Amino acid sequence: MLESYIFRQISAKLLSKTKAALLWRVSFRMGSFAISCFQPLVNRISIKTLENYLPSYISTYSSNYLPSYISTYNVNGWPVHDNRIKCNLFNEYFTSISKSPRNDYQNLPPLEYLTDQLLLSPVIEPYEVFQVLNRLNPNKRKGFDNLPNRILKICSQSLATPFSLLFNFIFSSEEYPTVWKTATVIPLLKTGSQTEVQNYRPVALLPSLSKVFEKLLHIHVYNYLEHHQLLIPNNSGFRKKHSTLNSLLSTCNSLYQAYDSNLSSRIVFLDISKAFDRVDHTCLLFKIQQVGIDGPLLNLLSSYLSQRSHQQDTLRPQIH
C-alpha cells in the first residue's frame, strides 16, 4: 500500500513535468497543431523516465520520512527486528532526554510580579473559535482523538459556539482534559545512521481539538504580553514581525558602537543540547506567574503540564 501511494504521487509529478517539457518543445518548433502526433512518444518517454528514476525517489522519500520501515536497531551490538521492542527503545530514549536534571527549587527567588495587570482567565468568543478553525490545515495528520482537521474546518461555523462554551468551561474548571494529554509520538530521523535511536527526534501529534484550544490560549497570552510590554526586547523568537534579522542587526549595532568607542567586544554563543525537552516545569510556571499569569489560568497551565502520556508510533508512514 505504501509503495502504491508513493508510486501514484511521484508518477503524477514526473508525468506532468515530462509531458509539459516535451509539449512545450514541440509546440515551440512546429506549432500546437502537431502536439497530438507526438502523444505516444511523450507517454513512452514518461514511462521510461519513471522506470529509471522511481527507485531513487522512493529511497530518498523513505529515508527522510519513513523511519518506521527500518528493520534493525542496534542494542548492545545486536539488531532488533521486533516492532514492540523498537517502540520500547524509542520510548526509553525519548523519556530520558526529556528529564530535567534539577530537583532543588529552594533557590528560586521570591515571587515579584512584573506588572500590576494580571491575566486570570481569558474569555473565548465564538468568532475567535471560527477564525482558528477556518485557518486549520486540512492536510495535517490526526492525533490521538482521530479527529481530522478537514472536518473541523468544514464545520467551523456550526462548531464555533459550542466549542467556545466548552473552552470557557475548561478555563473555569482549571483542569486540562485528560484525554487531551495523550500524544502520538513519531520518531523522525535527524541525521546519521537509521539504526541508532539517538539519531531520531520525537514529533508529537496532539489531539486536533487540543491544538485548537492551544491556539486560542496562545492568542490571548501573546496579546497580553505584547500589550503590557512584558517580553524582552532582544527576544526575536516566536514573535510577530520578528526574525533572526532583528538579532543580527542588534548584534552588529553593538559591535559597531564598541568599535567607534575603541572598546573590545566579546560574544558568547550557547548551544544547549535538547534545551526544549529539558525545560523545567516548576521554573517555567514560576516565570509565567512573574509576568502576571495567575489564578485559574496558572492552575490550568500547571494541569496541562502534569500527568501527560504518549503512545509510540513507528508502524505508520511518516507522511506530513
Side-chain angles (χ1 to χ4, degrees):
M1 184 175 181
L2 171 66
E3 289 76 7
S4 62
Y5 172 82
I6 297 178
F7 183 86
R8 290 198 305 270
Q9 298 296 320
I10 298 178
S11 61
K13 292 183 180 298
L14 288 178
L15 281 172
S16 60
K17 182 177 180 180
T18 306
K19 288 182 179 179
L22 289 174
L23 293 178
W24 180 85
R25 292 173 184 171
V26 171
S27 61
F28 181 79
R29 294 179 181 179
M30 304 181 61
S32 58
F33 65 90
I35 292 179
S36 58
C37 300
F38 290 86
Q39 193 65 41
L41 177 62
V42 170
N43 294 335
R44 187 162 61 252
I45 295 179
S46 300
I47 295 175
K48 184 178 180 180
T49 303
L50 285 175
E51 292 175 350
N52 292 336
Y53 294 101
L54 186 57
S56 62
Y57 269 81
I58 293 179
S59 176
T60 303
Y61 192 87
S62 300
S63 62
N64 291 337
Y65 297 98
L66 303 178
S68 62
Y69 283 83
I70 302 172
S71 59
T72 60
Y73 295 96
N74 294 329
V75 179
N76 298 326
W78 295 93
V80 175
H81 299 272
D82 185 78
N83 287 327
R84 185 180 298 274
I85 301 179
K86 294 179 190 177
C87 289
N88 291 332
L89 292 175
F90 277 120
N91 180 65
E92 293 175 1
Y93 173 67
F94 292 153
T95 303
S96 66
I97 63 177
S98 62
K99 290 182 179 179
S100 175
R102 178 174 179 175
N103 55 12
D104 181 14
Y105 307 112
Q106 297 179 356
N107 296 325
L108 290 176
L111 177 63
E112 294 182 2
Y113 291 108
L114 302 179
T115 177
D116 296 332
Q117 303 294 326
L118 303 182
L119 180 62
L120 302 179
S121 182
V123 177
I124 305 298
E125 300 292 342
Y127 76 90
E128 296 177 293
V129 180
F130 171 77
Q131 291 176 351
V132 172
L133 292 177
N134 203 39
R135 289 196 296 263
L136 290 177
N137 185 348
N139 298 320
K140 289 290 185 179
R141 284 188 56 175
K142 297 176 291 185
F144 180 75
D145 56 357
N146 288 324
L147 186 61
N149 284 351
R150 189 177 301 275
I151 298 298
L152 295 177
K153 186 171 185 177
I154 293 175
C155 304
S156 57
Q157 190 170 3
S158 302
L159 296 175
T161 298
F163 278 2
S164 65
L165 296 175
L166 172 63
F167 296 154
N168 287 322
F169 174 77
I170 294 175
F171 280 121
S172 62
S173 68
E174 305 180 19
E175 288 287 337
Y176 203 76
T178 304
V179 293
W180 289 357
K181 294 183 180 183
T182 301
T184 301
V185 176
I186 295 176
L188 190 63
L189 182 65
K190 296 184 299 182
T191 183
S193 173
Q194 297 176 342
T195 61
E196 300 292 337
V197 294
Q198 293 81 2
N199 295 331
Y200 289 82
R201 66 178 178 90
V203 177
L205 300 180
L206 299 175
S208 301
L209 203 53
S210 174
K211 290 191 291 185
V212 174
F213 181 81
E214 292 175 18
K215 291 178 185 293
L216 291 165
L217 179 58
H218 171 265
I219 292 174
H220 281 266
V221 172
Y222 183 82
N223 291 340
Y224 163 80
L225 296 176
E226 284 284 4
H227 178 73
H228 297 287
Q229 299 180 353
L230 295 170
L231 296 176
I232 300 175
N234 294 333
N235 179 25
S236 298
F238 307 101
R239 297 182 64 181
K240 296 178 181 178
K241 301 180 181 180
H242 284 257
S243 66
T244 54
L245 181 60
N246 297 79
S247 299
L248 292 174
L249 290 175
S250 176
T251 302
C252 291
N253 182 61
S254 300
L255 293 175
Y256 291 145
Q257 287 181 342
Y259 179 79
D260 293 338
S261 302
N262 294 323
L263 299 175
S264 62
S265 300
R266 300 290 186 271
I267 301 178
V268 177
F269 295 94
L270 298 178
D271 185 10
I272 303 175
S273 177
K274 304 292 188 298
F276 182 80
D277 297 321
R278 293 179 178 270
V279 172
D280 187 272
H281 292 170
T282 301
C283 297
L284 176 62
L285 292 172
F286 178 82
K287 296 290 290 185
I288 290 176
Q289 194 174 10
Q290 272 189 323
V291 297
I293 299 176
D294 208 342
L297 182 54
L298 181 65
N299 295 333
L300 179 64
L301 293 176
S302 177
S303 173
Y304 174 86
L305 295 172
S306 63
Q307 298 179 347
R308 299 191 67 89
S309 61
H310 69 270
Q311 62 177 13
Q312 197 68 51
D313 186 352
T314 61
L315 304 180
R316 291 186 293 177
Q318 314 301 307
I319 301 174
H320 301 281

